[in-house]
Amino acid sequence: MTATEKGAKSVDRVDRVVTKERLLGTESRWRRFGEPTPAGGSLKEDGTPDYGVFGPGSIAWDVLLHPATIFFQSPAQFVLQLTYKPVLAGVRDWDPISRKARKGELTIFDNFDRQQRNSGIHTPMWLGDTATAHRVAKHLRNIHTKVAGDVIDIAHPELGGYDANGPRDAMWAALTEMHTMLWVYENLAFRDGKPPHRLAPAQRDQYIAEVAEYCRLFDSPEGEIPTTMAELKALYEKYDQLFKPSWTMDVIPATGQSFHKVTTESIKKNFHVSQLRIHAQLLLSQKLFHYPILGAVSGKTRRNMGVGPLKSKMAVASTKAMLPLIWLAQQSAAEQRMTRIMWGPDAVKLIESARDLHRQAKAGLLAGAPYRARA
């Protein structure tokens, strides 16, 4: 077989056409180990309801269940999480996006599908019962088994390697995921009849204490799991070298290729007019609110992304200037569409169930709720 014939065979394996049905997807796109059981949908050994990792009345559910989090969580998460070099290295070296790109088989749908599954696959751990949370955590550990390497950054060998299932990197994957949601809630969520505003210090500490339980699903190092904002800040300082910007993080050690270049070229090569559906969705979820999301994260995170002072100021200003659009994104119609497309059918049910329990707990009407009702 000639090189031309091999190339043609490769192209034949690429599904470029994106129908409306393919865009939406079915439960199977998000579901792992069967249909998730919602928090409160099963009983513990002592006969009390099993509310899972967080549960009704928690600060974590305040944050997770807010429409702003639903709408902005995924793009905001990638901002912080990909500044943590071991996570970026794992994506660069092992993610199906990278492997397909190097073969010239990556499409914009593959990229979208990766983002689409991000929130929905995690939702059962946040809003399901304990058994559901552990099943999904096991699935994630299984698929991350091979995500390990000796080189984080070719220009900084002193950083060593990475291991997605290792205690350090598993902990930071969870922490960056959850810390991002707190930033979204505090800086983009309209609530209590007020514009976005910061939680009280005690509430912020309580949130981190609750997040600690989530970290334990992934065998995070018990001596390092933070339980207060001060401890989380100290942890960032300890691992500062793993967050600092580096232009050589883009280089795939095994091939010397630019991760950004090979993905961009493959997506461009495999374009089909039907993919405009994807571009329209990405414009709404990723592009339109890019600067406000940048303004919602910390200044240090922006610096770790390589964002300069002027662009950083523009990001903060855009967060304030675009508050009317940010408010609109949190309204029912926009949130429902985003939930179905980016979180999936199972997540829709889990969110509805959790919101009902959460309302009852905060009103003091739910017996056995793990957290006391708060004003």
Side-chain angles (χ1 to χ4, degrees):
M1 183 181 291
T2 66
T4 301
E5 289 172 332
K6 288 181 179 178
K9 186 175 181 181
S10 175
V11 170
D12 290 341
R13 291 199 298 267
V14 178
D15 187 355
R16 300 170 176 168
V17 179
V18 180
T19 63
K20 181 180 179 180
E21 291 73 23
R22 191 180 181 207
L23 171 70
L24 285 173
T26 63
E27 288 88 348
S28 62
R29 183 171 296 170
W30 292 271
R31 185 177 292 179
R32 301 295 183 271
F33 289 120
E35 184 174 359
T37 300
S42 66
L43 299 177
K44 299 179 182 179
E45 291 184 0
D46 62 4
T48 60
D50 185 330
Y51 291 118
V53 175
F54 300 125
S58 63
I59 300 286
W61 274 21
D62 278 343
V63 172
L64 277 161
L65 297 173
H66 194 280
T69 306
I70 302 299
F71 196 97
F72 297 112
Q73 185 269 334
S74 188
Q77 176 186 327
F78 292 132
V79 167
L80 174 61
Q81 198 163 70
L82 294 181
T83 65
Y84 180 63
K85 291 180 179 181
V87 167
L88 178 56
V91 173
R92 177 197 67 200
D93 298 345
W94 293 98
D95 196 279
I97 288 175
S98 181
R99 297 201 301 269
K100 280 190 172 185
R102 281 177 264 175
K103 294 177 183 178
E105 298 175 359
L106 185 71
T107 70
I108 190 67
F109 178 80
D110 296 315
N111 195 29
F112 170 73
D113 173 68
R114 177 67 172 82
Q115 297 177 37
Q116 190 179 32
R117 288 180 288 109
N118 181 62
S119 300
I121 286 184
H122 288 74
T123 309
M125 293 187 294
W126 302 330
L127 306 177
D129 69 356
T130 301
T132 295
H134 281 280
R135 285 199 307 272
V136 176
K138 179 181 178 181
H139 162 73
L140 292 175
R141 288 195 298 271
N142 288 343
I143 64 174
H144 287 148
T145 299
K146 294 183 179 180
V147 183
D150 296 327
V151 180
I152 293 175
D153 184 345
I154 61 168
H156 296 279
E158 71 278 5
L159 296 179
Y162 62 91
D163 180 356
N165 277 342
R168 180 197 69 189
D169 296 342
M171 175 184 68
W172 273 116
L175 286 174
T176 50
E177 190 177 88
M178 301 302 294
H179 197 186
T180 301
M181 286 191 273
L182 179 62
W183 282 338
V184 167
Y185 185 73
E186 292 187 319
N187 294 294
L188 302 178
F190 286 78
R191 61 191 196 277
D192 307 325
K194 302 176 184 177
H197 54 281
R198 194 166 182 164
L199 289 172
Q203 292 175 310
R204 302 184 96 229
D205 284 344
Q206 178 63 31
Y207 178 76
I208 299 302
E210 293 168 7
V211 166
E213 293 303 312
Y214 178 60
C215 290
R216 292 185 176 99
L217 284 178
F218 301 99
D219 299 324
S220 301
E222 194 59 45
E224 287 196 312
I225 300 173
T227 58
T228 66
M229 289 301 302
E231 291 177 0
L232 178 59
K233 182 180 179 181
L235 202 62
Y236 275 116
E237 292 172 354
K238 177 180 178 179
Y239 289 101
D240 186 55
Q241 292 299 319
L242 293 178
F243 285 90
K244 286 186 175 180
S246 169
W247 298 112
T248 49
M249 277 300 300
D250 184 56
V251 179
I252 302 170
T255 65
Q257 295 169 290
S258 161
F259 174 58
H260 175 73
K261 185 176 180 180
V262 295
T263 54
T264 302
E265 288 179 348
S266 183
I267 288 173
K268 183 178 180 180
K269 182 188 76 172
N270 293 315
F271 175 76
H272 185 274
V273 67
S274 66
Q275 295 170 9
L276 291 176
R277 288 188 173 93
I278 300 292
H279 287 279
Q281 178 61 36
L282 290 177
L283 176 65
L284 176 63
S285 61
Q286 302 281 341
K287 302 296 184 181
L288 179 60
F289 295 102
H290 176 67
Y291 269 90
I293 288 171
L294 282 184
V297 304
S298 70
K300 188 167 186 177
T301 296
R302 290 192 293 273
R303 291 193 295 274
N304 288 339
M305 293 177 66
V307 174
L310 179 58
K311 189 175 178 181
S312 185
K313 290 179 181 178
M314 290 172 58
V316 173
S318 73
T319 304
K320 297 178 181 179
M322 290 185 66
L323 280 178
L325 276 180
I326 292 169
W327 175 85
L328 191 62
Q330 298 170 42
Q331 304 314 298
S332 180
E335 184 217 354
Q336 286 178 15
R337 174 175 170 78
M338 187 64 71
T339 308
R340 173 58 185 86
I341 292 178
M342 300 305 294
W343 293 63
D346 284 342
V348 170
K349 296 176 184 177
L350 289 170
I351 290 167
E352 289 176 352
S353 174
R355 281 177 173 167
D356 182 54
L357 291 174
H358 199 47
R359 282 192 294 267
Q360 293 181 54
K362 296 185 77 173
L365 302 175
L366 189 64
Y371 294 90
R372 290 179 296 176
R374 300 183 312 279

